[in-house]
Amino acid sequence: MIRQTLTELVRQAILDAQAHGDLPAFEIPPVELAHPPRPEMGDYSASLPLKLASLAKRPPMHIAQTIAKHVPPHDAIGKIETAAPGYVNFTLAPRWLANQVAAILDAGAQFGNVNLGDGKRVQVEFVSANPTGPLTIGSARNMAIGDTLARVLEAAGYDVAREYYVNDAGSQVRHLGASIYARYAQELGRAEAFPEDGYKGEYIGEMARAIIARDGDKYLALEKDAAIRELKRIGVAMVIEQLKTSLARAHVEFDTWFSEQSLRDSGLLDEILKMLAARGVTYVQDGALWFRATEFGLDKDAVLVRSAQVISDPDERPTYLASDLPYLWNKLVVRGFDRAIYIWGADHQGDVPRVLAGAEALGVDPKRIHIIVYQLVRLTRGGEKIRMSKRAGEFDTLDDLLDDVGVDAVRYLLIESSADVAMDFDLQRAVQQSNENPVYYVQYAHARIASILRNAAESAPDLLTGEANLALLTHPAELDLVRQMLKLEEVVELAATKMEPHHLPHYAHDLGAAFHQFYKHCRVLSSDANDAEISRARLQLARATKNVLARALDLMGVSAPESM
RNA sequence: GCCCCCGUAGCUCAAAGGACAGAGCGACGGACUUCUAAUCCGCAGGUUGCGAGUUCGAGUCUCGCCGGGGGCGCCA
């Protein structure tokens, strides 16, 4: 990565200056290169001299000039300048930039990869909505953030596993079983009251009918509780299949569907409770088992297992926390992931300190856990707030959204803003303005290139083969395009280190803009035979751009169309 | 009352403590006999909620206030 190269050159310049007595001895702080605010200032700038002033006991400008003087020569550097009050600015050499086109084409689908992760195993757990019905639009942001982050981490050299945590224990899925049972019995002509806490959506009836078609009325022969348990199990499996189908439409595929119930069945939950007890961080009060969260800096203790007086069914007494702790143990100790990343909605933010405290109590380094809390999406339709309830059967599904807006626009829109902002998502506008969505701007650039390449293959196929003289690429629009392509690596690094997928769409848009400007200013194909060489070079540039656009789009799970 | 997130152009949002705070949409004015006009060019729009502090330097960090969202149960 060019920024890394320059960073190292600056470091060497300082060492060299120190060796020559031009700068006093001091330990060099990390060198950071940024992009200057205006292009005429150069491509990269170091503000290090400003930070060094007190350390080196020299005026910043003097340090800047000294560094500039000592930077070792390098092909990539066209110009080094200093600027008040103490910047060293680097401008990349046009010739070097032009040659990067070949390097980008060589890298192919690998272009943009950076090796931050060094093969470390990272798990991203996301969506993880209760398996009680179709995914709602509320889960869509979770999905988009989680999957994009997983893609970015893969590009950053991590070994990534995507996981969906299936909450198949507890009361929500029991309600699902009871709801199916009621519809099932009703369909078979038996008067069965629908449970008060049941799921009222139409899909429950459909599931009941599907079960009848497959298994007939055999569950009516069972005792009711047993039938509900059985239908719950079948229902969860059916819901998971539907989730897989919906998620596949959204370009998301999980490696693992992890069952919460399995934590209990395997005995891990009991084991963890014993471990916590052995460490003296639990106690029993009023028949409930408590975790001493206050010992880890929290303001309240937390319940792990509720008392029999409050919850009669023993299966439903463990709280979320009681499952979360064995689950994190399973991730980080049993399965040995180096890091566990969670994507949680803001409505679960309160659980974050408890889980981290639990990790500490179990002797698991909380730094291996990274919980991304995203603010909730406010859904509106024509400016009016929409209230959603899965139980009441009043909600918009992810599938509806994919039908109306399309997967590409949905994913792009949902990762466009930082996870920290509560975004408004107006359904009416999302549908209406779908053609003005920035995602099409980027895709259009890709399609335009594909079209140029088709035309070239048709009218002048020889231009697509043979050695191109990249040194002919000297137009500002051509060089800007190369500059923009080279930034992909930086964006991957930024998004992966800060775990902020929202940098990708902004980058993709900038890259699209650089191409559209190039397209305007530089004609690729020409009827004039004298233009053959420049056409050949520009075709290479166009192919490289197509490559990088496709990669940027793929990192977002967005398709790169050949025509639009 | 306590905790988390946010407050930047008319709207939606960017901005690894760095230089004159940037995009898109919207408004206004231009550009298609030329590789896809889902494009390009120009123009307008700002006391970064308010007040202090730290720093050579603050939209960014700290404190206080104001406003919005979320969370604080033996609910899930």
Side-chain angles (χ1 to χ4, degrees), chain A residues 464-481:
Chain A
L464 287 166
T465 58
E467 194 76 5
N469 180 9
L470 295 174
L472 295 174
L473 301 173
T474 55
H475 191 283
E478 294 168 331
L479 299 177
D480 278 347
L481 184 50

Side-chain angles (χ1 to χ4, degrees), chain A residues 108-147:
Chain A
Q110 308 293 312
F111 183 75
N113 286 356
V114 292
N115 189 17
L116 287 173
D118 201 24
K120 282 205 178 65
R121 294 178 60 229
V122 170
Q123 184 205 64
V124 184
E125 181 225 311
F126 61 110
V127 186
S128 300
N130 283 337
T132 52
L135 287 176
T136 66
I137 295 181
S139 294
R141 190 178 194 186
N142 189 315
M143 173 201 81
I145 291 174
D147 188 59

Side-chain angles (χ1 to χ4, degrees), chain A residues 115-382:
Chain A
N115 189 17
L116 287 173
D118 201 24
K120 282 205 178 65
R121 294 178 60 229
V122 170
Q123 184 205 64
V124 184
E125 181 225 311
F126 61 110
V127 186
S128 300
N130 283 337
T132 52
L135 287 176
T136 66
I137 295 181
S139 294
R141 190 178 194 186
N142 189 315
M143 173 201 81
I145 291 174
D147 188 59
T148 306
L149 187 60
R151 288 165 186 258
V152 166
L153 290 172
E154 280 167 347
Y158 290 92
D159 179 4
V160 179
R162 292 166 174 79
E163 182 149 305
Y164 191 117
Y165 181 48
V166 182
N167 296 109
D168 55 357
S171 63
Q172 290 311 307
V173 283
R174 179 170 52 78
H175 293 322
L176 173 75
S179 306
I180 297 174
Y181 179 80
R183 294 287 182 241
Y184 177 81
Q186 289 166 358
E187 287 284 334
L188 291 167
R190 184 186 287 192
E192 180 68 39
F194 195 78
E196 200 166 316
D197 293 327
Y199 290 92
K200 299 187 176 62
E202 184 47 40
Y203 64 94
I204 297 290
E206 288 165 19
M207 286 166 67
R209 285 190 289 277
I211 293 169
I212 292 168
R214 197 184 64 189
D215 298 339
D217 64 355
K218 69 186 209 185
Y219 302 108
L220 286 185
L222 297 176
E223 189 258 331
K224 182 171 170 179
D225 280 352
I228 288 177
R229 263 199 304 280
E230 200 53 23
L231 290 171
K232 169 182 93 175
R233 196 182 54 74
I234 295 168
V236 167
M238 290 175 80
V239 169
I240 287 177
E241 286 315 304
Q242 289 165 11
L243 294 176
K244 282 182 185 171
T245 307
S246 301
L247 288 163
R249 289 185 65 197
H251 306 158
V252 178
E253 192 183 337
F254 285 93
D255 298 294
T256 317
W257 292 73
F258 190 91
S259 155
E260 179 187 7
Q261 184 64 44
S262 75
L263 292 169
R264 303 182 182 192
D265 297 343
S266 69
L268 185 60
L269 189 148
D270 289 334
E271 233 177 279
I272 292 297
L273 293 183
K274 276 187 202 134
M275 282 177 62
L276 291 171
R279 287 166 193 254
V281 293
T282 59
Y283 61 92
V284 175
Q285 186 180 309
D286 303 330
L289 181 70
W290 291 74
F291 169 53
R292 288 187 202 278
T294 46
E295 279 195 13
F296 300 89
L298 277 64
D299 52 1
K300 280 177 202 166
D301 286 342
V303 173
L304 286 163
V305 183
R306 291 179 284 256
S307 66
Q309 295 95 304
V310 176
I311 306 284
S312 57
D313 186 344
D315 287 344
E316 295 181 11
R317 278 184 214 142
T319 59
Y320 269 9
L321 183 62
S323 287
D324 283 342
L325 299 187
Y327 187 32
L328 80 84
W329 183 269
N330 172 279
K331 293 179 184 200
L332 293 170
V333 180
V334 178
R335 284 189 278 169
F337 285 105
D338 294 297
R339 301 174 78 182
I341 297 168
Y342 296 72
I343 315 289
W344 283 0
D347 50 344
H348 287 98
Q349 59 182 280
D351 298 330
V352 173
R354 281 194 283 278
V355 168
L356 295 178
E360 213 180 321
L362 289 166
V364 173
D365 185 359
K367 288 198 195 79
R368 294 169 63 196
I369 299 170
H370 192 101
I371 303 176
I372 295 175
V373 174
Y374 65 92
Q375 300 303 307
L376 299 179
V377 180
R378 275 194 298 266
L379 268 183
T380 55
R381 188 178 278 125

Side-chain angles (χ1 to χ4, degrees), chain A residues 14-53:
Chain A
I14 297 172
L15 288 172
D16 191 54
Q18 289 177 327
H20 286 80
D22 291 352
L23 283 176
F26 55 81
E27 197 172 330
I28 305 172
V31 180
E32 276 162 15
L33 291 189
H35 297 284
R38 279 179 306 287
E40 62 271 21
M41 295 171 166
D43 294 304
Y44 290 91
S45 88
S47 59
L48 193 69
L50 291 160
K51 298 183 175 77
L52 249 36

